Amino acid sequence: MSHTAHIRSHRKPRRSASTIAMRAGVAGGVLSTLAVAGAAGSASAAEPVTQTLELPTLTADLSAQVAQSADATQQAAANYELRAERDAALSKAAKQAKSDLADAKKKAEAKKRAEAARKAAAERAASRSAERATLSASTTSGGGSTASTSTSASTSAGASTSTSTATGSAASVIAFVKAQVGDAYVSGGTGPNSWDCSGLVQAAFKQVGVSLPRVSQDQSTAGTQVSLSNLQPGDILYWGGAGSAYHVGVYVGDGMFVGAQNPSTGVVERPLSYDPPTGAVRVL
């Protein structure tokens, strides 16, 4: 026996194949477990990154869509407002055109009426001038006018063609009041182109030298009271009570009278039936 046989060898004992295989399997299992754990951990760690990357993308798209929708809504509102303003402008223009047309028609009608009134006034003025010339000639000849002279003067004035049996001063009074037919009625008017009822009567009798009170109340008691069945041309007619009359006129014969009636009719010649008087007085 060798002298070193009792000393243990420093070499590691050889491992058996089974031991090596077992250790390899354990190591493989550990490595597999670590690999799975690592993969799981990697997956878990990667998932938030994926969400974090996708969230801003979705938010940006949604914001873009909202902005586009808001722009579209704003544009639609602007279009609607523009259309409403245009419609309002067209409506206003149509109303203004209609108003302008109506004003133009009114002005044309007013101008036409004014022209007609001017012509009528000129004709009345010419007629009155002719009548007054005739009346002046009659007065100059001594006041001996006859009924035919009065009728002729009335016809030339265009006021009336009715006949009268008036003579002298009565004929002159009748000729004067008939010459004023068509003049305007104005309260307080005393001529020469506008009258009230008592102003016309006072002026008519002044032509023949008879001075009458100014107002109808006093004129209704200025002469002798006569019945309506016994009237003569030149009598003063009154409406209301004697002393409190509210209207007067002149009887011109043939059942007619002349008076300044009211603002709508002016001086007119009417039958007694048009407005029957209350009484009459005679001053001639």
Side-chain angles (χ1 to χ4, degrees), residues 37-62:
S42 298
S44 299
E47 184 176 356
V49 174
T50 302
Q51 292 177 350
T52 303
L53 292 175
E54 292 179 357
L55 182 58
T57 303
L58 294 175
T59 303
D61 292 342
L62 181 59

Side-chain angles (χ1 to χ4, degrees), residues 95-106:
K95 289 181 179 179
Q96 185 63 42
K98 185 176 181 181
S99 177
D100 292 343
L101 180 60
D103 289 343
K105 288 183 178 180
K106 288 181 181 179

Side-chain angles (χ1 to χ4, degrees), residues 58-137:
L58 294 175
T59 303
D61 292 342
L62 181 59
S63 298
Q65 292 177 1
V66 170
Q68 291 177 356
S69 178
D71 290 342
T73 302
Q74 185 176 4
Q75 184 62 39
N79 292 339
Y80 178 80
E81 183 178 359
L82 179 62
R83 187 163 54 251
E85 291 177 354
R86 185 175 61 249
D87 292 344
L90 291 174
S91 177
K92 183 178 180 180
K95 289 181 179 179
Q96 185 63 42
K98 185 176 181 181
S99 177
D100 292 343
L101 180 60
D103 289 343
K105 288 183 178 180
K106 288 181 181 179
K107 289 179 180 179
E109 291 175 358
K111 184 177 181 181
K112 185 177 180 180
R113 288 195 298 269
E115 181 65 18
R118 186 190 65 78
K119 290 181 179 179
E123 291 174 357
R124 286 199 302 270
S127 298
R128 283 196 297 269
S129 297
E131 175 62 22
R132 285 165 183 165
T134 302
L135 180 60
S136 178

Side-chain angles (χ1 to χ4, degrees), residues 129-154 156 166-173 175-176 207-208:
S129 297
E131 175 62 22
R132 285 165 183 165
T134 302
L135 180 60
S136 178
S138 298
T139 303
T140 302
S141 63
S145 301
T146 63
S148 60
T149 302
S150 174
T151 302
S152 175
S154 299
S156 64
T167 60
S169 296
S172 296
V173 168
F176 180 86
Q207 302 298 313
V208 295

